[in-house]
Amino acid sequence: MERKTTIHDIARELNTTAATVSRALNNHPSISAATKEMVRETAARLNYRQNKLASSLRSGRTHTIGVIIPSAEISFFGSVVHGIERVARSKGYRVLLFQSNEDPSCEAEGIEALLQSKVDGIIASVAKETTRYQHYLEVKERNIPLVLFDRVDDSLQVPSVVIDDYKGAYMATMHLIEQGYTRIAHISGQQHIKIFNDRLRGYADALRVRGLPVEDDLIAYGKVSVDSGRDCTDKLLSSAVPPDAIVAVEDFTALGAMQSIKRIGLHIPREIGLIGFANEAFSSYITPSLSTIDQQTIKMGEEAALLFLDLRKKKENGQTNAEKIVLDPVLLIRESSQRINV
Amino acid sequence: MERKTTIHDIARELNTTAATVSRALNNHPSISAATKEMVRETAARLNYRQNKLASSLRSGRTHTIGVIIPSAEISFFGSVVHGIERVARSKGYRVLLFQSNEDPSCEAEGIEALLQSKVDGIIASVAKETTRYQHYLEVKERNIPLVLFDRVDDSLQVPSVVIDDYKGAYMATMHLIEQGYTRIAHISGQQHIKIFNDRLRGYADALRVRGLPVEDDLIAYGKVSVDSGRDCTDKLLSSAVPPDAIVAVEDFTALGAMQSIKRIGLHIPREIGLIGFANEAFSSYITPSLSTIDQQTIKMGEEAALLFLDLRKKKENGQTNAEKIVLDPVLLIRESSQRINV
DNA sequence: ATGAAAGCGCTAACAC
DNA sequence: GTGTTAGCGCTTTCAT
């Protein structure tokens, strides 16, 4: 195994010192252009590669942002990560990705790993099952910049970026009302997760504004999955006075609802309207295509990265505050909810 | 900003030395149980957290595997990563993820970053557009364990895990033949990518074995995307003697094909059969559900991680070889191809 | 514009 | 079983 070349090797070759080489490589202003040129040439010739470990150990900065996502198999998160990466990369940061698999202890492990790796900051979306936030609190207490997105917890008091879930659900419900649906049900999720509760409120308020009934029988509480969406819909449709439209808490739930509706043989959107939330990749592909609320994923990632950069700067100045960015949801009208004007 | 506690702080507290603390924390055999206990207690009390940077710099090992995937938005890769993580974690490794976004230069950057971070090894799937393998060769030359999965390049001579793409396409085509389709088309991808070429051969051989025509008119070469699948199918269906079934090179292509077929108004599977490749998450959700070839993603990830572990061991013994693991594909028969026995 | 020297936090020989 | 010492490869004062 060949020894790796270090800045000392380059220094020896050029009859100079490691300090000069280091400065040249880092484009330090007080190094002459000539020296920089020579150093770079020699570095390339010797196939030199900087050891980030040593560099970071010494400088105290890794130029790495740790990102924790619940699952890489949900395209929403993949897309947000793209946004984060775009901004991060342009500012010289790299992104280290961790999946929590929706599991709080795995999430804690991930945070631990990121802290040990001395990342410069953490951007995260909270796992569905997480109810205690000790591991996140510790990040904050250690003064490591922490930014949350989408699934946030306000009690943590950290900067975050979300879309207006209340407004999204309100828009979705209003859209169904305008399409002439009058008995509109909602499949919600775990109520300790803020975004699900917000969507529930948006749904209910839209009905109220238009004088439509907000009945307990019209609201199902599921676990936010295809299976749960199917089960909840089975129940809703078999009730005494079934709904003629459904607002699903997100697209996978809507997918389950669609399966249930098809099995019963009702026509979407003629006999029953359906709208999801998230604009998952598959939502435009399925038949009928699923109306949904777009969450501005790329923008969400970009804003999260910008919040992190902000936080770093403020940290240097000793400032601190918990800015909250709220993005506007976008209503996407597709086949599943379009009963008129077709 | 509070100073971080180090092993020296713990040592001072206990009137011992950093070395002892380090050994205790690492569960070194020659440290007494009593000492270990005290050290651990004090470490916990002082809220100590190991600095992996320093540890890795000194020991030369990071216990990190770098994984390069073309895109986090394709569930196939997310799933393989799960498999990798499962094995890696059980052996004390963590996984650092990088997206190449199917872009060769981004891929090279990712490798560079991983090398600088001194990962213990790299597991990768090659970006679609990559045709030169210099960046991968360098990994190998630097003696960093490198394992490829799915999209591999045999000329690199590194261990790899793939499924038998030839066999998968052969099975898919044979299944369509058995369902009574007689004029079966294939939408392929870029031919410099081995797996696409393998699938093409599997398709052709199945037809030959059963004495069906293998015509140039029945083979379309696309770019492996929903759009490309749609365009290719438009072309295939508008030909003089259109096919009565299509083997798509993968599921997104099949999705595009399905859109095209629906637009024309043909019934799947009665008038035209369709099968994909990959078992993407959406394939079971769409209507009609898509028959496809499962690629054993979790297993693929697990095997890739095992190959890496193997490689590490062999490296210590100075051995080297390029084992290739070939997994068996699994035919999933769903609605889109099932014309008989319904 | 460059050099000398110190040290980031940890581990690993080698002592005893 | 524990202490001593050295140094991983780099950056960063402080000199000059």
Side-chain angles (χ1 to χ4, degrees):
Chain A
M1 212 177 323
E2 80 295 333
R3 245 190 93 275
K4 277 128 190 167
T5 77
T6 72
I7 50 174
H8 291 101
D9 300 325
I10 300 174
R12 200 177 314 113
E13 195 90 355
L14 294 170
N15 277 319
T16 176
T17 69
T20 302
V21 174
S22 171
R23 284 190 272 244
L25 256 19
N26 290 311
N27 205 18
H28 191 102
S30 73
I31 295 286
S32 73
T35 311
K36 282 181 186 169
E37 187 48 33
M38 303 209 61
V39 167
R40 258 170 252 186
E41 213 165 76
T42 315
R45 183 160 51 76
L46 297 184
N47 209 5
Y48 169 77
R49 172 164 285 124
Q50 185 193 46
N51 186 329
K52 285 277 182 215
L53 253 39
S55 163
S56 298
L57 176 60
R58 181 59 237 251
S59 69
R61 303 201 44 193
T62 55
H63 295 279
T64 300
I65 304 174
V67 175
I68 297 189
I69 58 174
S71 163
E73 290 180 67
I74 297 177
S75 73
F76 168 75
F77 292 113
S79 184
V80 175
V81 171
H82 267 137
I84 294 174
E85 270 183 345
R86 183 180 304 175
V87 171
R89 199 171 293 188
S90 77
K91 298 291 180 185
Y93 285 90
R94 66 182 54 161
V95 169
L96 209 163
L97 219 52
F98 245 96
Q99 300 184 232
S100 69
N101 300 318
E102 300 284 12
D103 171 36
S105 74
C106 184
E107 189 178 40
E109 262 177 54
I111 290 180
E112 179 68 30
L114 294 176
L115 289 179
Q116 288 184 348
S117 302
K118 303 295 171 200
V119 294
D120 287 350
I122 292 179
I123 299 178
S125 194
V126 179
K128 241 184 268 179
E129 304 302 331
T130 299
T131 51
R132 302 189 61 250
Y133 296 90
Q134 185 50 43
H135 44 306
Y136 283 112
L137 256 177
E138 196 165 339
V139 176
K140 201 187 161 197
E141 273 161 12
R142 284 181 180 262
N143 222 343
I144 311 294
L146 173 64
V147 174
L148 297 179
F149 69 90
D150 192 49
R151 306 224 205 110
V152 307
D153 179 80
D154 286 342
S155 72
L156 278 173
Q157 303 252 55
V158 296
S160 59
V161 41
V162 295
I163 66 145
D164 191 332
D165 288 282
Y166 171 90
K167 191 168 172 185
Y170 185 94
M171 288 163 69
T173 309
M174 207 48 103
H175 163 63
L176 289 177
I177 295 172
E178 276 158 10
Q179 291 291 316
Y181 299 104
T182 54
R183 192 165 169 78
I184 301 171
H186 179 47
I187 304 176
S188 187
Q190 299 92 326
Q191 291 303 301
H192 69 264
I193 302 181
K194 190 170 177 310
I195 60 174
F196 298 154
N197 184 258
D198 285 348
R199 291 176 196 178
L200 173 60
R201 292 190 303 104
Y203 152 81
D205 281 0
L207 292 184
R208 275 190 210 103
V209 164
R210 291 303 184 92
L212 290 173
V214 181
E215 296 177 16
D216 281 350
D217 291 0
L218 286 175
I219 302 173
Y221 297 92
K223 287 187 331 200
V224 190
S225 66
V226 177
D227 290 347
S228 162
R230 197 186 324 102
D231 295 346
C232 288
T233 307
D234 285 346
K235 217 168 295 170
L236 286 169
L237 293 181
S238 66
S239 71
V241 193
D244 66 354
I246 296 177
V247 177
V249 69
E250 48 78 66
D251 286 348
F252 286 97
T253 301
L255 194 53
M258 194 178 278
Q259 290 176 357
S260 163
I261 294 169
K262 280 182 181 171
R263 207 161 44 186
I264 288 179
L266 291 174
H267 184 273
I268 306 172
R270 207 175 54 240
E271 296 172 298
I272 184 163
L274 180 62
I275 188 164
F277 205 117
N279 194 19
E280 275 293 321
F282 68 80
S283 63
S284 64
Y285 300 145
I286 58 180
T287 311
S289 58
L290 180 69
S291 295
T292 190
I293 299 292
D294 183 76
Q295 303 192 80
Q296 312 245 56
T297 49
I298 300 282
K299 183 130 193 248
M300 188 175 282
E302 290 172 348
E303 294 289 348
L306 290 172
L307 280 179
F308 158 78
L309 294 170
D310 239 45
L311 215 51
R312 269 214 70 81
K313 211 171 287 173
K314 281 187 185 135
K315 186 178 149 192
E316 284 163 14
N317 306 336
Q319 300 174 30
T320 170
N321 76 333
E323 193 177 350
K324 180 158 192 161
I325 292 185
V326 180
L327 301 176
D328 259 335
V330 176
L331 173 66
L332 297 179
I333 302 174
R334 301 208 182 99
E335 293 165 358
S336 70
S337 67
Q338 212 165 351
R339 191 151 67 164
I340 57 182
N341 300 333
V342 187
Chain B
M1 211 178 324
E2 80 295 331
R3 247 191 89 275
K4 278 128 191 167
T5 77
T6 72
I7 50 174
H8 291 101
D9 300 325
I10 299 174
R12 199 177 317 112
E13 193 89 355
L14 293 172
N15 278 318
T16 177
T17 68
T20 302
V21 173
S22 170
R23 285 189 274 242
L25 256 18
N26 289 311
N27 206 17
H28 191 101
S30 74
I31 295 285
S32 74
T35 311
K36 282 181 185 169
E37 187 48 35
M38 304 211 61
V39 167
R40 259 171 251 186
E41 214 164 76
T42 314
R45 183 161 50 77
L46 297 184
N47 210 4
Y48 169 78
R49 173 163 283 124
Q50 185 193 45
N51 186 329
K52 286 276 183 213
L53 253 39
S55 162
S56 298
L57 175 60
R58 183 59 236 254
S59 69
R61 303 202 42 194
T62 55
H63 294 279
T64 300
I65 305 174
V67 175
I68 297 190
I69 58 175
S71 163
E73 289 180 68
I74 297 178
S75 72
F76 168 75
F77 293 114
S79 185
V80 175
V81 171
H82 267 137
I84 294 174
E85 271 183 345
R86 183 181 302 176
V87 171
R89 199 171 293 189
S90 77
K91 298 291 179 186
Y93 284 91
R94 67 182 52 162
V95 169
L96 209 163
L97 220 52
F98 246 96
Q99 298 184 236
S100 69
N101 300 318
E102 301 284 11
D103 171 36
S105 75
C106 184
E107 188 178 40
E109 263 178 52
I111 289 179
E112 179 68 29
L114 293 177
L115 289 179
Q116 287 184 349
S117 301
K118 303 294 171 200
V119 294
D120 288 350
I122 293 179
I123 299 178
S125 195
V126 179
K128 241 183 268 179
E129 305 302 332
T130 299
T131 51
R132 302 189 60 252
Y133 296 90
Q134 184 51 43
H135 44 306
Y136 281 112
L137 257 177
E138 195 164 339
V139 176
K140 201 186 161 196
E141 273 162 12
R142 283 183 180 259
N143 221 343
I144 311 294
L146 172 64
V147 174
L148 297 179
F149 69 90
D150 193 50
R151 307 225 204 109
V152 306
D153 180 79
D154 286 342
S155 73
L156 279 172
Q157 303 252 54
V158 296
S160 59
V161 41
V162 295
I163 65 146
D164 191 332
D165 288 281
Y166 171 89
K167 191 169 171 184
Y170 185 95
M171 286 163 68
T173 309
M174 207 47 101
H175 163 64
L176 289 177
I177 295 173
E178 276 159 10
Q179 292 290 317
Y181 298 104
T182 53
R183 193 165 168 76
I184 302 171
H186 179 47
I187 305 176
S188 188
Q190 299 92 327
Q191 292 303 302
H192 70 265
I193 301 181
K194 189 171 178 307
I195 61 174
F196 299 155
N197 184 257
D198 285 348
R199 292 176 195 177
L200 173 59
R201 291 191 302 103
Y203 152 81
D205 281 0
L207 292 184
R208 274 190 211 103
V209 165
R210 292 302 185 93
L212 290 173
V214 181
E215 296 176 15
D216 280 351
D217 290 0
L218 286 175
I219 302 173
Y221 297 90
K223 286 187 332 203
V224 189
S225 67
V226 177
D227 290 348
S228 161
R230 196 185 326 100
D231 295 347
C232 288
T233 307
D234 284 347
K235 218 168 297 171
L236 286 170
L237 293 181
S238 66
S239 71
V241 193
D244 65 355
I246 297 177
V247 177
V249 69
E250 48 79 67
D251 286 348
F252 286 97
T253 301
L255 194 53
M258 194 178 278
Q259 289 177 356
S260 163
I261 294 169
K262 280 182 180 172
R263 207 161 45 187
I264 288 180
L266 292 175
H267 184 273
I268 306 173
R270 208 175 54 240
E271 296 172 297
I272 184 164
L274 180 62
I275 188 164
F277 205 116
N279 194 19
E280 275 292 322
F282 68 79
S283 62
S284 65
Y285 300 146
I286 58 179
T287 310
S289 58
L290 181 68
S291 296
T292 190
I293 299 292
D294 184 77
Q295 303 192 79
Q296 310 246 55
T297 49
I298 300 282
K299 183 129 194 250
M300 188 175 282
E302 289 172 349
E303 293 289 347
L306 290 173
L307 280 180
F308 158 77
L309 294 170
D310 239 45
L311 214 51
R312 269 213 71 81
K313 211 171 288 174
K314 281 188 186 134
K315 186 178 150 193
E316 284 163 12
N317 306 337
Q319 300 173 28
T320 171
N321 75 333
E323 193 177 350
K324 179 157 193 165
I325 292 184
V326 179
L327 301 175
D328 259 336
V330 176
L331 173 66
L332 297 179
I333 302 175
R334 301 206 183 100
E335 293 165 358
S336 71
S337 66
Q338 212 165 351
R339 189 151 68 164
I340 56 180
N341 299 332
V342 188

